Amino acid sequence: MTAETAVAVRPVVETTVAPRRRRQTLPLLNLVGALIVSAAVLYVTFFPAPGLPALGPAFNPTTGAWTMAADAQVTNRVLHLAGLRQPVSVVLERDGTAHISAQTDHDLFLATGYVHARFRLFQMDLMRRQGAGRLSEVVGKAAVNSDRFELQLGLLRTAQAEWKQLQTDDQSRQALVAYAQGVNDRIAEAESMHQLDAMFTLLGYQPQPWSPIDSLLVKGDMTQTLNFTDTPLVMALLKKSLGADLSSEWFPILPPNQQSPYDIGPYAKPTIAPIETMSEVTDAKAQSAAALYQRLAALPPGLVAKGGASNNWAVGGAKTTSGGALLAGDPHLHLTLPAIWFQLTMDSPGYHAAGVGIPGTPIVLIGHNEHIAWTLTDAQNQQTFFYLEHEDAVHPGRYLWNGGWQNYKTVSYEIPVQGAQTQHLDVKLSVHGPVISERGQTTSVWWTGNLPSQDLGVLLRLGQAGNFGEFRSALRGWLAPTHNFIYADDRGNIGLISAGYYPLVAKGQPWLPMAGTGEFDVIGTIPFDDIPQAYNPPDNILWSANQRQVTSSYPYYIGTASNFFDAGYRANEIHRVLSQPGKLSADDMSALQTDTRDSLAAEIVPVLLQSLSKERLNAKESAAVDLLRSWDFRMETNSAAATIWWYFWGWYLDETFKPWWKSRAVPVDYGVVFNALGQDLEAWTLHDPGNRAFSAPGVGSRTAPDAQRKSFHKLIGDLTKQLGPDPHSWSYGKVHQRVLENLAEVSGLNYGPRPDRGDGNTPLAAGGYPSTEGPSWRMVVDWGAKTFEAIYPGGQSENPASDWYTDRVDSWWAGRLNPMLTAGEADAAGGIHTWSLQP
Amino acid sequence: MRLYVTLLLAALLALAGVLLGLWWAPFVVGLLLGAITQRARIAILAGAAIGLVGWLVPLAVAQERYGLGPTAQSLAAIMKFDHQAALPIALTLLVGTLLGLTGAWLASAGRGLATSART
């Protein structure tokens, strides 16, 4: 072919071959494009991507998260529940408070399980997963450390042991079984109706059937949150860095300040010799303590108790306007949405109680029955002990105990991790408990929460008690966490028992990690008759607010001032109010629950004003002094003096102790011992202004007034920068807010932050900035007027689309209480829903 | 007329599937539609519309019966959309639409390739 012919034929080729190729290429490209886009769409709809659930199951309108709209509706219903023996009636009040009336105890517990799960299944699932170390199975790697720690600590092992110990005819075993059946009835119903909580859908998993062990795990979670402490590790680090003299003085066994114990004796003679005073901490011990302390400090909040805060008190009939006994209580816990509590009345031939229980457990934990009312605070005695196991190279994998070399027992676990490989965990167990650190010296932990208990049975009997004798008898079996159970009955009697296990060690220093060789082991508990308790005291008042319950003459060691009894300011204020002359009413009880008077401020501010009396002050400082001078010591949101006081106290602590922390390189977070140091500072300010603590290295010789003046000048500068130049505008609500946090840590579903009154020292507890803990359930009972009132922040439903998610918050915030109706009263009230549960 | 009937039946089929919990039904119906409809553009548009309808109608019914405002706000909060309640609704409808659209597109593209290969 010539070039010419080639050119001549070329157009022909172009017009015949190219369109065909294009016709074949374009459809192919189209298909490839369709395949790629379809694959992408199908992938994101069927499979979760990082940070996103699988979009199809999560967002489709019939079975996805949108079903929370239907779930939020509560209507009258007739339901058939597997396992039910007789019909059960459930009346739901306008605010969702449930009244369950059953003809048998079995049916009552079954229906309670159903009702709990209807409104709180996801919360229950999270709680059991936390205790069982199975959180990472649904939330991924973020929870692996928590799971590993929980499995080491052993809530699951304890729950399994407790379950094994329950006899088949045991009332609590039967309650647990029936309760589990009720929960599983709801799981089956929710799955069939596509009404599982939206969080299941969004996290892409289905709840496993509930078992009785799960309920025991939930109880274990609470024990851990309230009583598993790291204070012996903290004490070891403080002692090593600060030295024996300062740490003994600053962190004493008995509180350095004036407190208000409720049980003032006389006490029984001790059955054990008094324990020794402080001694040295070796380098090895300090290194081991530091490693473990850091590990525990890195765990999520709630796994290690950080001091508690709760109030309760009772007034005998002789001191009340109604003539009947009064009881008030407000346990202070992490305030979450949904709340830890679910309000209900449980009514059957063998059990009648009204109040609140923890979803996942089949009982009323705080409340009343026909004859008695009770509530509780944490007793705070030391329940966690660390043991340094003695090992050597000649006996690998063994430890020395009571003169012989022992083998560790080993338990193995698999930890499924969502989106990652399953992790394997071996847990070593010594006679003291699980080994929780092998960095430095191998350290095991003895913790009361690891003693298999029958506490659930105790709580059942508590709800069935009709007088103080039965109440006290029931509490004999209570182990952990130790609680101050307060009591008032319909005959005007009041009582308080700080029930639980009070470990005794034969000798040694239990506030520090101890040698695990046997001679320092826990050898038993303080006898029940010797634990703090009181009944119908002459002054007709009883109170507890996490303070040390007994005086310095109490013969047993129950913990140091910093491990972790409260500093006592709330108890002092409660005692001050209750012990005033005159009679008290239910309204007085309610007012005291929302009392914002800071008794520490009432002590310290006059001293501060005296220290400033001859100081040259500028205009702002003078205005601040005037505000303090006219202040009533109440931490109200509109009070500028409250802001000045609180900043002053913080600066004063810093001014006194921070230089020590720096010069001695103390490896403990300063905030951890804030309360303990506060007690010292209070005592020195009032009684020992020349204490050497004010003359820290590098600051020269000073006294308390010197430190106060310096702190005052600093705080005025600090507040001017933060809040502007006019002290009158420094209202407390600008710096102090409260937030109720969503349990699943979805910040958009929190309530607040919202300005709120109170602080860590006031009966209306609101420590922290913002405050996330506080009165989780306020209850006031007047047996004379037969009135029962209560409230908790939040609502009965965990569904954020429900009216019952936050419907109680505003009333709670304002300090109002709602009447606790009987089932009959609820039935007669308007706006109720009724469920008829049929076999 | 036949086209309209086909589209109507397809929409009903997709809707029934979604109501039965088969949320991926629009994709399958889209596939069928793409396979039997000669004109690709119509198939794809119809697939998208069927996907939209399949997910919109149950959502609208839920809105009518329960009100979706609090749910939409909650989902927006969970998804960190800063309480923009419209976004979860838009996302939901987008997913439904994309399922129908991609199903129809995929089948239509396959059909197109097969047709061109035959010619």
Side-chain angles (χ1 to χ4, degrees):
Chain A
M1 183 186 291
T2 65
E4 282 178 334
T5 53
V7 169
V9 299
R10 196 169 171 183
V12 176
V13 172
E14 279 182 351
T15 54
T16 57
V17 177
R20 180 178 299 164
R21 206 179 273 160
R22 202 177 296 138
R23 273 205 302 275
Q24 287 177 338
T25 305
L26 283 177
L28 186 61
L29 286 175
N30 188 31
L31 181 62
V32 169
L35 275 171
I36 291 170
V37 174
S38 299
V41 168
L42 290 178
Y43 186 85
V44 296
T45 50
F46 274 94
F47 302 103
L52 266 185
L55 296 178
F59 289 102
N60 81 81
T62 46
T63 63
W66 292 104
T67 57
M68 75 166 79
D71 176 69
Q73 308 297 312
V74 177
T75 55
N76 296 336
R77 296 181 68 192
V78 176
L79 298 159
H80 292 274
L81 296 188
L84 213 55
R85 295 171 185 165
Q86 302 285 334
V88 174
S89 152
V90 178
V91 174
L92 295 164
E93 287 183 42
R94 191 187 296 270
D95 65 358
T97 299
H99 300 267
I100 307 169
S101 304
Q103 297 169 46
T104 69
D105 293 351
H106 168 272
D107 287 350
L108 177 68
F109 297 120
L110 189 151
T112 302
Y114 174 84
V115 171
H116 276 172
R118 168 64 181 81
F119 294 108
R120 299 289 186 87
L121 185 58
F122 181 68
Q123 175 185 25
M124 291 160 62
D125 192 57
L126 276 189
M127 289 168 77
R128 68 170 163 173
R129 282 184 176 279
Q130 181 190 314
R134 298 291 289 249
L135 276 176
S136 39
E137 185 176 18
V138 296
V139 303
K141 286 181 185 169
V144 166
N145 283 343
S146 166
D147 284 349
R148 292 181 77 89
F149 179 73
E150 293 295 273
L151 288 168
Q152 279 185 319
L153 186 59
L155 267 65
L156 180 60
R157 293 189 297 276
T158 306
Q160 289 166 336
E162 287 171 341
W163 176 244
K164 253 187 204 166
Q165 287 178 3
L166 283 173
Q167 304 291 317
T168 46
D169 60 346
D170 189 290
Q171 187 188 15
S172 52
R173 182 187 182 97
Q174 291 167 355
L176 287 168
V177 170
Y179 182 86
Q181 172 73 57
V183 176
N184 291 328
D185 284 348
R186 171 56 191 169
I187 291 174
E189 179 195 53
E191 285 179 344
S192 69
M193 294 173 66
H194 305 297
Q195 282 196 357
L196 279 174
D197 184 274
M199 292 308 293
F200 288 113
T201 315
L202 293 171
L203 288 171
Y205 78 99
Q206 304 274 312
Q208 296 295 305
W210 191 265
S211 84
I213 290 173
D214 295 329
S215 294
L216 298 170
L217 278 169
V218 170
K219 191 265 177 184
D221 287 339
M222 291 305 294
T223 305
Q224 181 183 357
T225 296
L226 294 170
N227 270 84
F228 178 77
T229 62
D230 61 359
T231 40
L233 308 172
V234 171
M235 192 63 85
L237 296 176
L238 289 170
K239 199 162 179 202
K240 186 67 188 168
S241 53
L242 287 169
D245 55 344
L246 285 183
S247 57
S248 300
E249 184 184 342
W250 294 1
F251 304 99
I253 293 174
L254 296 173
N257 62 345
Q258 185 72 37
Q259 297 202 1
S260 307
Y262 79 83
D263 180 1
I264 55 172
Y267 305 120
K269 285 185 180 171
T271 56
I272 189 168
I275 57 172
E276 303 160 20
T277 52
M278 295 270 189
S279 67
E280 290 300 327
V281 172
T282 63
D283 287 344
K285 202 186 254 191
Q287 284 163 10
S288 300
L292 184 50
Y293 169 72
Q294 284 157 11
R295 183 187 174 204
L296 298 182
L299 290 171
L303 301 193
V304 179
K306 294 293 179 192
S310 300
N311 305 325
N312 64 22
W313 60 85
V315 185
K319 193 178 163 59
T320 68
T321 54
S322 71
L326 296 171
L327 177 136
D330 50 304
H332 306 164
L333 296 169
H334 184 202
L335 299 181
T336 56
L337 293 173
I340 188 73
W341 303 115
F342 185 87
Q343 189 178 352
L344 77 173
T345 300
M346 297 173 66
D347 204 355
S348 71
Y351 190 81
H352 172 84
V356 281
I358 298 173
T361 61
I363 40 88
V364 168
L365 181 54
I366 298 174
H368 70 89
N369 60 25
E370 301 98 317
H371 300 294
I372 74 165
W374 69 95
T375 179
L376 45 89
T377 65
D378 203 32
Q380 314 288 116
N381 67 302
Q382 185 177 344
Q383 296 206 311
T384 311
F385 301 82
F386 292 90
Y387 288 94
L388 303 170
E389 304 298 356
H390 183 87
E391 298 171 326
D392 69 17
V394 183
H395 304 88
R398 307 176 84 186
Y399 64 101
L400 185 65
W401 182 71
N402 277 353
W405 289 94
Q406 314 291 327
N407 287 317
Y408 290 104
K409 287 182 188 166
T410 305
V411 191
S412 297
Y413 299 98
E414 302 297 323
I415 307 174
V417 183
Q418 203 264 332
Q421 278 196 327
T422 295
Q423 295 202 5
H424 181 81
L425 175 70
D426 289 326
V427 178
K428 286 162 68 176
L429 302 166
S430 76
V431 291
H432 306 106
V435 169
I436 58 170
S437 176
E438 295 189 81
R439 290 172 63 190
Q441 272 186 275
T442 298
T443 307
S444 57
V445 61
W446 187 101
W447 174 48
T448 314
N450 279 340
L451 298 177
S453 79
Q454 302 304 321
D455 287 346
L456 199 69
V458 171
L459 292 173
L460 273 169
R461 290 193 292 280
L462 208 65
Q464 294 166 322
N467 56 50
F468 189 70
E470 291 172 4
F471 181 81
R472 187 170 184 274
S473 174
L475 286 176
R476 273 185 184 276
W478 182 259
L479 286 191
T482 43
H483 281 313
N484 301 306
F485 288 87
I486 203 160
Y487 164 99
D489 69 25
D490 58 355
R491 278 146 291 183
N493 303 305
I494 58 172
L496 180 49
I497 303 175
S498 303
Y501 199 91
Y502 288 78
L504 294 172
V505 295
K507 63 175 187 175
Q509 302 172 9
W511 52 84
L512 294 172
M514 295 178 286
T517 43
E519 57 269 49
F520 307 108
D521 285 4
V522 173
I523 54 169
T525 174
I526 297 175
F528 184 76
D529 290 339
D530 293 357
I531 65 172
Q533 56 195 294
Y535 181 61
N536 284 341
D539 56 359
N540 284 297
I541 54 171
L542 286 169
W543 67 96
S544 81
N546 316 106
Q547 84 278 28
R548 194 180 185 84
Q549 300 93 339
V550 288
T551 68
S552 58
S553 58
Y554 187 68
Y556 296 97
Y557 170 80
I558 56 173
T560 67
S562 57
N563 179 91
F564 45 76
F565 295 100
D566 187 77
Y569 308 124
R570 284 176 295 113
N572 288 352
E573 174 66 6
I574 291 164
H575 180 236
R576 184 187 72 81
V577 171
L578 295 181
S579 58
Q580 285 169 0
K583 298 201 170 189
L584 294 160
S585 68
D587 285 346
D588 295 326
M589 304 295 94
S590 177
L592 183 51
Q593 285 183 330
T594 52
D595 186 341
T596 59
R597 185 174 182 274
D598 186 325
S599 66
L600 177 64
E603 287 180 340
I604 301 296
V605 168
V607 178
L608 169 65
L609 292 173
Q610 179 63 34
S611 299
L612 294 171
S613 60
K614 292 180 182 161
E615 185 77 346
R616 288 173 67 97
L617 303 174
N618 62 31
K620 264 184 298 199
E621 290 167 341
S622 295
V625 163
D626 289 342
L627 285 165
L628 285 176
R629 195 170 280 129
S630 59
W631 186 39
D632 60 1
F633 312 118
R634 295 193 182 276
M635 304 298 288
E636 294 293 331
T637 51
N638 60 359
S639 169
T643 309
I644 296 166
W645 149 251
W646 196 245
Y647 271 71
F648 165 74
W649 187 246
W651 274 110
Y652 188 30
L653 277 161
D654 285 355
E655 188 63 33
T656 308
F657 293 107
K658 275 270 173 83
W660 290 102
W661 246 245
K662 193 174 171 189
S663 65
R664 300 287 172 100
V666 180
V668 174
D669 179 21
Y670 181 64
V672 168
V673 286
F674 193 86
N675 271 341
L677 295 175
Q679 293 175 54
D680 295 326
L681 192 56
E682 175 201 5
W684 300 332
T685 302
L686 297 174
H687 308 298
D688 184 17
N691 190 287
R692 62 175 165 161
F694 295 109
S695 305
V699 300
S701 177
R702 295 191 312 185
T703 63
D706 296 329
Q708 288 162 28
R709 285 187 281 270
K710 193 162 183 188
S711 306
F712 183 76
H713 292 305
K714 280 183 176 174
L715 87 88
I716 297 298
D718 186 10
L719 283 174
T720 302
K721 270 188 208 157
Q722 276 192 56
L723 302 174
D726 179 10
H728 293 90
S729 71
W730 296 346
S731 55
Y732 187 54
K734 287 183 180 172
V735 296
H736 181 258
Q737 288 95 34
R738 193 193 285 279
V739 60
L740 314 182
E741 295 181 313
N742 175 261
L743 196 64
E745 300 180 0
V746 178
S747 59
L749 297 178
N750 291 349
Y751 182 97
R754 171 178 165 181
D756 198 20
R757 54 195 169 153
D759 65 25
N761 300 333
T762 58
L764 194 165
Y769 294 81
S771 178
T772 56
E773 304 212 351
S776 61
W777 162 253
R778 290 191 186 114
M779 183 174 77
V780 173
V781 171
D782 181 349
W783 279 109
K786 286 278 192 296
T787 56
F788 308 90
E789 297 179 296
I791 197 163
Y792 71 82
Q796 293 282 81
S797 174
E798 66 185 350
N799 180 347
S802 166
D803 289 342
W804 294 343
Y805 182 64
T806 54
D807 61 315
R808 302 172 183 219
V809 175
D810 286 340
S811 289
W812 174 87
W813 213 285
R816 292 191 293 271
L817 300 168
N818 294 332
M820 297 169 71
L821 304 179
T822 63
E825 289 167 338
D827 205 12
I832 61 159
H833 298 288
T834 55
W835 293 348
S836 175
L837 310 184
Q838 302 290 329
Chain B
M1 186 62 186
R2 185 186 293 174
L3 180 64
Y4 290 129
V5 171
T6 305
L7 290 179
L8 183 63
L9 286 175
L12 287 173
L13 195 60
L15 183 58
V18 173
L19 288 173
L20 287 170
L22 309 175
W23 54 264
W24 37 263
F27 182 81
V28 176
V29 173
L31 278 176
L32 293 172
L33 202 63
I36 63 171
T37 306
Q38 288 188 349
R39 290 160 67 186
R41 195 168 294 173
I42 288 178
I44 292 168
L45 284 174
I50 284 165
L52 178 65
V53 167
W55 279 42
L56 173 67
V57 170
L59 211 56
V61 170
Q63 158 65 20
E64 188 60 26
R65 289 180 67 184
Y66 315 117
L68 289 179
T71 301
Q73 284 195 347
S74 302
L75 288 175
I78 292 168
M79 300 177 72
K80 299 187 167 54
F81 287 160
D82 196 26
H83 294 281
Q84 299 293 318
L87 289 177
I89 295 172
L91 177 67
T92 299
L93 297 180
L94 178 66
V95 172
T97 305
L98 283 175
L99 281 170
L101 183 149
T102 49
W105 182 16
L106 188 60
S108 181
R111 179 191 166 94
L113 185 66
T115 306
S116 73
R118 277 200 300 271
T119 59

